[in-house]
Structures are given as C-alpha cells and as structure tokens.
Amino acid sequence: MGTSIQNIRGFSDVLPDEGPIWRFVEDTFRHELERYGYAEIRLPIVEKTELFSRSIGEVTDIVEKEMYTFTDRNGDSLTLRPEGTAGCVRAALQRGLLHNARPRLWYAGPMFRHERPQKGRYRQFHQVGAEAFGVSGPELDAELILLSGRILRALGIDGLRLELNNLGTIEARRRYRAALIEHLQAHEGWLDDDARRRLHTNPLRILDTKNPQMAEVIRTAPDLGDYLDETSRQHFHDLRAMLDAAGQPYTANSRLVRGLDYYGGTVFEWISDSLGAQGTVLAGGRYDILVEMMGGRPTPAIGFAAGLERLVALVEAAGSAPAAPSVHAALVAVDEDLQADTVALAESLRDRLPWLRLQLPIGGGSMKSQLRRADRSGAALALIRGAEESAAGEIIIKDLRGDAEQYAVAIERLPEILSPLEST
Ligand code: HAM
C-alpha cells in the first residue's frame, strides 16, 4: 500500500495568509532596485552542474554536500541552482549583456541546498539577488551597499547590523591562508573534525565556526587585514569613507569570509540578532575574477542576495507589511432561482467597475449562512438579491461593518452606491 499523500513532507509552502507579506517584500525589492537602474533577468532553475562547481568552488560546503544534482536522459549532470550569481553571469556572458554596457541585473526565485533544515534554513528557499558589472571603483560597492540598506529600511525592519570586510587579492589571500594554516596546525589539538577536514582545503571557512571550543584559537589567529595588498587596503579605506559620508553605520569585521570561492575584495553581510543562528538576511561582495574564469573578458562585478524567508519572518514580527485587501462587497442571492442571474449581475458589475473586488458566496445555503460567509470575506457591504426586490429591479444594501439599517435601491444605482469603496 502506498503512503498517504498527507504524510509526504518535503519543502515548505507559502500559505495564503502569508502571501501579503511575501508580496510586500518582493514588491519593495523590485521598486528600490528599479530606482537604482537594475533590470530584471529571469534565469533557469536548472543548470549544468559544472557551472556551479567551477564558480562556487569544488571545496565549498555548497558544492561538496548541498547540491541537488541528477543525471538527465542525455546523461548530462544537472543541478537545481543553489544560488543565482553563477547563472546570472553565465546568461550575461552568453547573451552579450556585458559588452558596450554596464549592466545591472536583478533576479528572484527559489534556490535549493540540501542543508540540515532548521529555523531560517530550508532546502528550498527564495532569494532576490542583484549583480552589477563593469566598474571596479569603490563607489559601486558603496552604492550597492546603500541600496541594500535602503531596501531593508523600506521593509520596516529594525536592529540589523552591517558587517564589512575586504578579502584582498588572490595573492594576498594565499599569503594569509598559509599563515592561518600554520597557526591552526600549531593548535591542532583544539580543532574539531570539521576544522581538521577543512584545514588544507578551505581554512578560511574555519574562521566562521560556532564551536566554543575553538573560540580561543580563532581569536588568536592572524588577521586578514594585516595581509591586505595596498590596492585593496586603499579600496577598503575609500569605501568606508563613502559609507561614513552617507551616514551608513557598519562594523569592519576581518573574520567575515563568506562561503563561496568567487569572492575577492569587498564582502558584506546584513545580520539580525533576532533570528537565532541563521541571522544573515542579505549578503554579497565583489567577484572580479568570475567573468574571466567563465571565459569572458576581465569584468569587475559585485552583487548581493537576500534570503526572503528570513526577511518575511522579520517583517511579520515587525508588523510592517500592509494588510491584504479584503473584498469590497459580497453579492448574495436568497433564492436558488436567482443564481444564474446573480452570476451575470456580478460579471456586469466587474465590467463596469474594474477596481471592484466582489465575492459571490457561491454554494447557496440559507440567507443566514450566506451572510456569515459574506462577513468572513471581510466585505464592507452585502448586496442581497431577494425574489421581491429582483422583480422590482432592486437590490438590498446591507452594511456589514456598521449598524446602519439595510435599504433597497434600483440595481442601476449600484455603481454609484459602490463608488466610495474604490479608495479602500
Ligand atoms: P549566500 O550567502 O550563500 O550568498 O546566500 C545569500 C542569502 O541567502 C543568505 O544570507 C541567506 O539569507 C539566504 N540563504 C542561504 N541559504 C539559505 C537556506 N538554506 N535557507 C534560507 N535562506 C538561505 C549567495 O547566494 C550569493 N550568490 C550572493 C551574491 C550575489 N554575492 C554576489 N552576488
């Protein structure tokens, strides 16, 4: 016997009562991104596996253990996208969007990572991402970071902090990596299994550990800031001056390394303390080497992506999303014989008043139960059709939210009666 569908649990649903918050978050992103000249690009959810392993990095957590990878009927290895940057760069490169222009692109949609689910961490989650190409100066970093701050403010979320770092050039990171490995090896007895495993593959990620046993080893580790090359140091300095001038507070955190290999130079994260361990709501940085790595001309680039589930949780807690609009009116037919006629009347009202949100408590039942359904729909008015009134070309208007007496009017006057509801 098969398992009941009811017992099959997989990925999360977004239920109707959460819809308005999701829409508010998505609309806010779209609105602000468009104000800064970003154009939407819609990208496939499935890509060749190689795209991700080569760009995100073979020894990152994502590629090593989190990708949903399968072989299709042609024998090609495909992967459900774990993030959007790789696909966005691929599309921009293949479609010639990078030349003769300085494109600014944004995208939204589901991403997939086979992580251990917990609060704020899901196997299918949603991101809005933004990517800007062709400018290497810190003014682009500053504008992108200020844009992300503006979006988060527009969402009405308080208490987020901005952390900022510069990862330097590949050469600077190589020197730092060697010094870090040396330090970690000298304290090998304190390292946990995960750190031992990463020691020679991805030692910078060890700095991200949450294991208290390693706190002291991490605290005394060499500082990436001391290894920065002169150009990166100047870039970081100029970026900080620009954020200061714009009044944007931040914390410089030389331990902020990010989990994807394509980063170099500026990296940043917006973090909330009220989401537990998964507090990063928006994160990004420069990836000046990626376009060239993927076969294009050297093209500097920077971007970010935000995790929508985490932002929705914060917006819900802040109560900053506007409530979903309820229907303006419900049209109730008391008499079964009037049903066909009532459906036609509803259609003609919808034709004449394009703003009108009108619900038919379809399914009949007594007048009382229909009115109960009309009330639950949130409608301001019930429009009641009785046999007598219909014969006289009239309809009854009942105020569902106040205690005004109900009254009958000529059906032709309905648009006039309903018009004050347009602004609600
Ligand atoms: P990321 O840090 O891997 O960066 O993800 C960005 C954001 O997506 C995270 O800060 C978090 O809010 C959300 N997120 C990631 N994984 C999950 C999950 N399993 N469940 C819920 N939310 C999650 C990137 O993806 C880069 N592509 C960002 C970027 C764009 N850098 C440059 N351009």
Side-chain angles (χ1 to χ4, degrees):
M1 228 171 60
T3 317
S4 159
I5 292 285
Q6 299 241 30
N7 294 326
I8 298 175
R9 288 260 154 73
F11 301 94
S12 341
D13 304 298
V14 174
L15 300 179
D17 61 349
E18 302 163 320
I21 303 181
W22 278 82
R23 234 176 3 251
F24 169 63
V25 172
E26 290 161 351
D27 290 350
T28 303
F29 269 92
R30 177 179 303 116
H31 178 71
E32 298 299 343
L33 285 160
E34 284 175 353
R35 288 181 68 202
Y36 281 69
Y38 285 74
E40 184 179 8
I41 182 163
R42 298 198 179 202
L43 299 162
I45 288 172
V46 186
E47 299 261 10
K48 288 266 173 75
T49 302
E50 193 192 348
L51 173 71
F52 302 115
S53 49
R54 278 182 34 195
S55 57
I56 297 170
E58 294 282 359
V59 293
T60 55
D61 281 352
I62 296 180
V63 172
E64 266 189 345
K65 44 187 190 194
E66 295 169 1
M67 296 207 302
Y68 281 90
T69 296
F70 61 97
T71 307
D72 78 355
R73 287 168 195 272
N74 300 333
D76 291 329
S77 178
L78 302 181
T79 293
L80 297 184
R81 63 182 183 193
E83 59 103 53
T85 308
C88 187
V89 171
R90 177 203 50 70
L93 200 53
Q94 290 174 344
R95 302 302 180 129
L97 301 180
L98 294 176
H99 307 305
N100 312 320
R102 290 185 172 156
R104 295 168 159 221
L105 302 170
W106 71 272
Y107 50 83
M111 309 287 160
F112 302 84
R113 296 184 194 175
H114 195 271
E115 297 191 85
R116 196 164 46 79
Q118 54 178 274
K119 183 172 173 240
R121 191 197 262 172
Y122 310 97
R123 290 180 172 174
Q124 172 177 318
F125 59 98
H126 296 77
Q127 287 185 342
V128 174
E131 316 288 354
F133 300 92
V135 179
S136 57
E139 60 280 8
L140 181 61
D141 311 33
E143 200 204 34
L144 187 85
I145 291 170
L146 293 168
L147 160 61
S148 63
R150 183 180 297 278
I151 293 168
L152 297 168
R153 276 199 308 281
L155 291 175
I157 304 170
D158 292 326
L160 294 178
R161 65 198 144 79
L162 171 63
E163 296 203 350
L164 196 61
N165 194 17
N166 189 303
L167 301 176
T169 57
I170 293 177
E171 183 45 41
R173 267 201 312 289
R174 194 171 294 139
R175 284 190 292 119
Y176 175 66
R177 191 173 183 274
L180 181 63
I181 292 177
E182 196 176 312
H183 169 81
L184 294 170
Q185 272 175 332
H187 300 87
E188 199 155 0
W190 290 97
L191 304 187
D192 57 20
D193 289 347
D194 210 34
R196 282 214 183 90
R197 197 175 52 78
R198 285 170 158 163
L199 188 55
H200 292 284
T201 54
N202 203 350
L204 268 65
R205 288 296 284 172
I206 300 176
L207 297 174
D208 262 357
T209 179
K210 306 242 158 37
N211 184 349
Q213 171 200 315
M214 288 173 47
E216 189 58 18
V217 183
I218 300 300
R219 197 185 63 75
T220 54
D223 194 313
L224 177 59
D226 297 334
Y227 289 76
L228 282 193
D229 51 287
E230 193 42 46
T231 312
S232 301
R233 209 184 286 273
Q234 188 64 44
H235 187 106
F236 198 27
H237 173 272
D238 294 346
L239 170 59
R240 294 174 63 164
M242 287 174 197
L243 294 178
D244 290 339
Q248 172 60 62
Y250 56 83
T251 312
N253 174 5
S254 60
R255 296 284 193 252
L256 181 70
V257 290
R258 310 276 302 125
L260 301 89
D261 274 4
Y262 51 62
Y263 289 115
T266 304
V267 289
F268 64 97
E269 291 193 357
W270 285 93
I271 302 164
S272 161
D273 289 325
S274 54
L275 287 172
Q278 306 301 323
T280 302
V281 294
L282 186 153
R286 273 207 171 264
Y287 51 94
D288 292 344
I289 53 165
L290 184 59
V291 175
E292 194 181 0
M293 252 170 63
M294 286 171 57
R297 272 187 242 153
T299 307
I302 184 168
F304 67 69
L308 297 195
E309 282 75 5
R310 296 177 192 181
L311 288 174
V312 163
L314 292 175
V315 166
E316 191 169 14
S320 48
S326 39
V327 293
H328 293 117
L331 183 54
V332 175
V334 178
D335 200 323
E336 284 289 321
D337 298 346
L338 292 172
Q339 291 289 6
D341 208 32
T342 305
V343 171
L345 173 61
E347 286 306 301
S348 83
L349 283 171
R350 289 175 179 129
D351 286 343
R352 288 178 66 184
L353 307 174
W355 51 266
L356 180 67
R357 295 188 297 274
L358 177 69
Q359 185 165 317
L360 285 179
I362 287 174
S366 68
M367 163 93 159
K368 201 167 158 208
S369 76
Q370 288 199 57
L371 279 176
R372 199 171 328 119
R373 265 180 282 155
D375 187 48
R376 270 205 304 260
S377 73
L381 295 181
L383 317 176
I384 307 169
R385 307 200 70 210
E388 235 170 79
E389 293 81 13
S390 291
E394 291 189 333
I395 191 159
I396 296 169
I397 311 290
K398 181 177 169 63
D399 183 352
L400 293 171
R401 306 294 146 205
D403 22 76
E405 281 290 314
Q406 62 183 53
Y407 60 100
V409 294
I411 288 193
E412 300 83 75
R413 286 194 54 216
L414 267 181
E416 176 197 328
I417 305 280
L418 293 170
S419 67
L421 295 174
E422 181 170 0
S423 56
T424 63

